[in-house]
């Protein structure tokens, strides 16, 4: 039987594919350094583990309301409100299976088939496929490479058509580390208000800002009504596999997202919800500890990359990636970022993600959410491989 054209048009997530390949190589006994997946190397908060244990051992594992257990919705409302500088009620929150589900629900609620959604480019690789999954049309709008890939508000405005329904903003950004200032967000918000668009604000990296300050576009005058905030615990609390995210929006949007979720996936996993509640109650100390580590590792990465000839890297202001420009090394077999990453894995057993996956083929993405010694080893392998390419050795044998 044929699968739908929609499903045919959506490739698997390259990051998950890369992770699977790393797993295969490791099972075959290879010494692979992975700076691929965006996963903090720290364990999650102990409070979360204990709460999940209590939930499982106490048999507290049945269905919950689809939008989440009331205490968690209330705690998430308080948390998201504090982060975004607004005040949310529990009924404005939906607890989801990771931020991914929150984004998918936001798009499903916002878009009719054929509606257009403006995406950052370079930008996170799942936004486009998520739009396609709800029959919306992704419209990547390139940021200015000379200004840290910031959007020029005029270019943003020029991309709006009569079918545009929403704009996705991701600050701090995966993969670039771009953090928009309040004034820059105000200019983006003005386009949304003038053209009557929803703004979907993916705030999953909010605690990890090294330069400047985190600002949620929802907190700008008049924007609370037209912003769907997406957040979660995967990055901020190092709880990736627990799959807890949040969507915060007007009561009407939250209600619609909750109804959809009640059909699609019911509640987020019950033990994970109890873990999330405990993690939120434990406060921000865990995130602050990770932020300090990521900032230190950003320094390690910048220093190492500075020694690599013709690699260009602006310090990322936030998140936990570096996105160096490496196209000086393209040529011969190295036809672009995909080939370079394949070559790094082949020759140096270093896993990093091609910039092409994010819409910028001149760059590659390295996660700095890896232990210092893993990061140092990964950077050393990258330097060695680039040196070999310069000498024309590895490219010929790849
Ligand atoms: C920008 C961005 N948004 C959302 C997500 C998804 O988060 P979650 O694992 O909570 O679904 C990621 C994960 O890599 C991400 O980088």
């Amino acid at each position: 039987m044929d699968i739908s054209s929609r499903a045919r048009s959506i490739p698997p997530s390259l990051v998950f594919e890369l992770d699977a390949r790393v797993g295969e190589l490791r099972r075959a006994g290879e010494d692979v350094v992975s700076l691929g997946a965006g996963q903090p190397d720290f364990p999650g908060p102990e409070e979360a583990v204990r709460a999940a244990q209590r939930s499982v051992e106490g048999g507290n594992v049945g269905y919950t309301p689809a939008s989440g257990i009331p205490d968690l919705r209330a705690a998430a409302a308080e948390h998201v409100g504090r982060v975004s500088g607004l005040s949310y009620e529990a009924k404005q929150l939906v607890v989801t299976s990771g931020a991914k589900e929150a984004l998918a629900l936001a798009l499903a609620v916002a878009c009719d088939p054929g509606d257009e959604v403006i995406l950052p480019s370079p930008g996170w690789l799942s936004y486009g496929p998520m739009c396609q999954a709800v029959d919306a049309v992704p419209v990547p709008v390139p940021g200015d490479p000379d200004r840290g890939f910031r959007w020029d508000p005029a270019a943003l405005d020029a991309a709006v058509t009569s079918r545009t329904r929403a704009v996705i903003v991701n600050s701090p950004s995966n993969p670039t580390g771009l953090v928009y200032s309040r004034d820059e967000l105000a200019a983006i918000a003005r386009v949304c208000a003038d053209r009557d668009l929803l703004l979907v604000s993916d705030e999953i990296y909010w605690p990890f800002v090294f330069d400047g300050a985190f600002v949620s576009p929802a907190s700008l005058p008049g924007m609370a009504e037209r912003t769907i905030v997406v957040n979660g615990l995967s990055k901020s609390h190092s709880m990736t596999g627990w799959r807890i995210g949040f969507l915060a929006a007007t009561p009407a949007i939250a209600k619609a997202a909750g109804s959809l979720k009640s059909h699609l996936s019911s509640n987020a996993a019950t033990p994970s919800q109890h873990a999330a509640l405990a993690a939120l109650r434990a406060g921000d100390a865990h995130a602050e500890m990770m932020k300090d580590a990521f900032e230190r590792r950003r320094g390690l990465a910048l220093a190492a990359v500075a020694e690599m000839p013709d690699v260009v890297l602006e310090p990322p202001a936030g998140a936990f990636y570096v996105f160096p420009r490496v196209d000086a090394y393209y040529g011969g077999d190295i036809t672009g970022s995909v080939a370079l990453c394949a070559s790094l894995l082949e020759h140096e057993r270093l896993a990093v993600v091609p910039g092409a996956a994010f819409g910028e083929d001149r760059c590659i993405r390295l996660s700095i959410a890896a232990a210092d010694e893993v990061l140092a080893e990964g950077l050393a392998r990258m330097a060695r491989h680039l040196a070999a390419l310069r000498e024309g050795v590895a490219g010929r044998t790849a």
Side-chain angles (χ1 to χ4, degrees):
M1 198 199 90
D2 279 348
I3 58 170
S4 67
S5 54
R6 185 197 306 109
R8 270 201 306 275
S9 70
I10 300 177
S13 163
L14 215 137
V15 174
F16 275 85
E17 282 203 320
L18 182 69
D19 250 17
R21 177 80 186 117
V22 168
E24 270 170 27
L25 287 168
R26 284 188 175 146
R27 280 192 296 281
E30 299 281 347
D31 162 32
V32 184
V33 170
S34 180
L35 303 178
Q39 170 147 269
D41 57 312
F42 296 98
E46 278 173 33
E47 292 87 341
V49 176
R50 283 198 295 272
Q53 277 168 341
R54 279 196 302 277
S55 151
V56 173
E57 284 162 9
N60 191 2
V61 291
Y63 287 128
T64 76
S67 295
I69 50 178
D71 281 357
L72 178 57
R73 279 180 96 183
E78 200 277 321
H79 173 74
V80 176
R82 185 170 54 81
V83 168
S84 61
L86 287 170
S87 154
Y88 286 105
E89 292 180 59
K91 68 177 180 197
Q92 295 180 262
L93 260 286
V94 181
V95 177
T96 56
S97 297
K100 266 187 179 158
E101 192 190 23
L103 284 160
L105 290 173
L107 292 170
V109 168
C111 297
D112 280 318
D115 281 349
E116 295 173 6
V117 179
I118 291 180
L119 313 177
S121 179
W124 184 48
L125 47 77
S126 289
Y127 294 136
M130 279 180 181
C131 291
Q132 290 169 275
V134 297
D135 293 332
V137 181
V139 179
V141 173
D144 180 351
D146 297 326
R147 294 184 54 245
F149 296 107
R150 287 172 157 69
W151 267 333
D152 169 0
L156 186 63
D157 191 65
V160 178
T161 72
S162 59
R163 289 311 303 264
T164 309
R165 187 73 186 104
V167 176
I168 298 184
V169 173
N170 174 216
S171 171
S173 151
N174 173 9
T176 64
L178 159 65
V179 176
Y180 280 117
S181 69
R182 180 174 293 278
D183 285 351
E184 289 165 341
L185 287 172
I188 294 170
R190 213 166 300 124
V191 174
C192 293
D194 290 350
R195 310 298 293 262
D196 195 20
L197 309 176
L198 277 169
L199 192 158
V200 177
S201 179
D202 180 350
E203 308 187 353
I204 187 105
Y205 293 101
W206 73 272
F208 309 126
V209 177
F210 316 121
D211 306 322
F214 172 78
V215 178
S216 169
S219 67
L220 298 170
M223 285 307 288
E225 291 292 298
R226 61 171 74 247
T227 304
I228 303 179
V229 170
V230 170
N231 210 319
L233 301 190
S234 297
K235 317 289 178 177
S236 61
H237 292 70
S238 190
M239 290 178 66
T240 50
W242 298 81
R243 311 305 303 133
I244 293 292
F246 310 122
L247 172 154
T250 61
I253 290 177
K255 188 166 176 225
S259 322
L260 210 52
K261 182 168 165 50
S262 72
H263 293 292
L264 293 176
S265 59
S266 302
N267 56 279
T270 301
S272 292
Q273 290 194 61
H274 290 287
L277 181 56
L280 289 179
R281 286 182 174 157
D284 292 337
H286 191 261
E288 280 159 17
M289 175 277 291
M290 289 196 290
K291 182 197 148 194
D292 290 345
F294 298 152
E295 193 165 5
R296 186 182 66 247
R297 294 169 186 171
R298 177 182 73 153
L300 288 178
L302 286 167
V305 171
E307 299 296 314
M308 301 178 197
D310 301 320
V311 178
V312 183
L313 176 60
E314 295 299 323
F320 47 63
Y321 307 100
V322 289
F323 197 55
R325 199 175 146 181
V326 289
D327 55 327
Y329 290 83
Y330 297 171
D333 293 342
I334 307 297
T335 49
S337 62
V338 173
L340 178 60
C341 291
S343 181
L344 282 164
L345 192 57
E346 164 84 17
H347 292 276
E348 288 290 348
R349 295 292 187 242
L350 171 63
V352 295
V353 187
F358 306 97
E360 178 48 83
D361 194 39
R362 292 174 296 183
C363 299
I364 58 174
R365 191 196 77 176
L366 285 67
S367 168
I368 56 171
D372 292 27
E373 56 282 9
V374 175
L375 180 61
E377 174 62 19
L379 290 162
R381 290 182 187 201
M382 177 173 160
R384 195 162 59 210
H385 193 58
L386 294 185
L389 286 177
R390 254 197 327 278
E391 286 157 22
V393 178
R396 278 198 300 276
T397 55

